[in-house]
Amino acid sequence: MSYGIRKDFYNSKAWKTVRKNVWLKQNLLCSRCHKPVYVDGISEWLPKEKRRIGIVHHKIYLDNTNVYDMNIALNENNLEGVCKECHEQEHHQDVAVRKDFMFDDNGNLIKKE
Ligand SMILES: [Zn+2]
Ligand SMILES: [Zn+2]
């Protein structure tokens, strides 16, 4: 159920337009590692081996309470184009900070001392 609301949002024409603007402004480069990304409908020309999936990240995370708030959901100042790898890092960090956990050397999530 909760997933459905955001799925509708991500399928909306408004979101697709904003997402495209963000990527064009960044020249289809990840804002963190600066590697070129592949975005559906924009970068068909990128050779397969160079493709990193591009994701537009919400700096204020999108959830079911703010998905209809245009100042958050569709505000370009709240958006950042990143590759899949950098995006995963961002969200892992968030888990670590918020829940007082950290990753050990083997990548296992452990409680901070
Ligand atoms: Zn990146
Ligand atoms: Zn994100």
Side-chain angles (χ1 to χ4, degrees):
M1 276 300 267
S2 58
Y3 175 65
I5 299 175
R6 271 177 289 171
K7 199 178 166 207
D8 286 348
F9 169 73
Y10 284 121
N11 283 328
S12 72
K13 205 174 170 187
W15 168 247
K16 285 179 181 169
T17 304
V18 171
R19 187 185 67 161
K20 192 171 177 176
N21 287 344
V22 169
W23 282 121
L24 292 179
K25 235 173 22 190
Q26 290 185 202
N27 293 318
L28 291 162
L29 299 175
C30 171
S31 76
R32 304 201 181 178
C33 70
H34 306 293
K35 293 193 171 123
V37 299
Y38 176 79
V39 182
D40 263 347
I42 310 178
S43 47
E44 287 94 343
W45 49 269
L46 201 67
K48 230 182 185 143
E49 64 275 10
K50 288 198 172 161
R51 286 180 182 186
R52 291 187 152 218
I53 306 288
I55 293 169
V56 173
H57 168 67
H58 285 83
K59 292 177 195 170
I60 298 170
Y61 292 179
L62 206 61
D63 59 34
N64 293 327
T65 64
N66 64 19
V67 66
Y68 295 118
D69 184 344
M70 296 299 131
N71 286 322
I72 292 173
L74 293 173
N75 182 351
E76 285 186 31
N77 293 325
N78 187 41
L79 299 172
E80 180 186 6
V82 292
C83 71
K84 193 164 177 275
E85 283 80 354
C86 291
H87 189 244
E88 274 167 16
Q89 228 169 41
E90 160 74 28
H91 284 266
H92 275 300
Q93 261 173 23
D94 182 57
V95 169
V97 171
R98 279 211 294 215
K99 297 205 170 155
D100 214 29
F101 283 123
M102 58 180 280
F103 292 99
D104 68 12
D105 293 342
N106 297 317
N108 298 311
L109 202 57
I110 56 166
K111 199 158 171 49
K112 279 185 192 167
E113 294 299 305

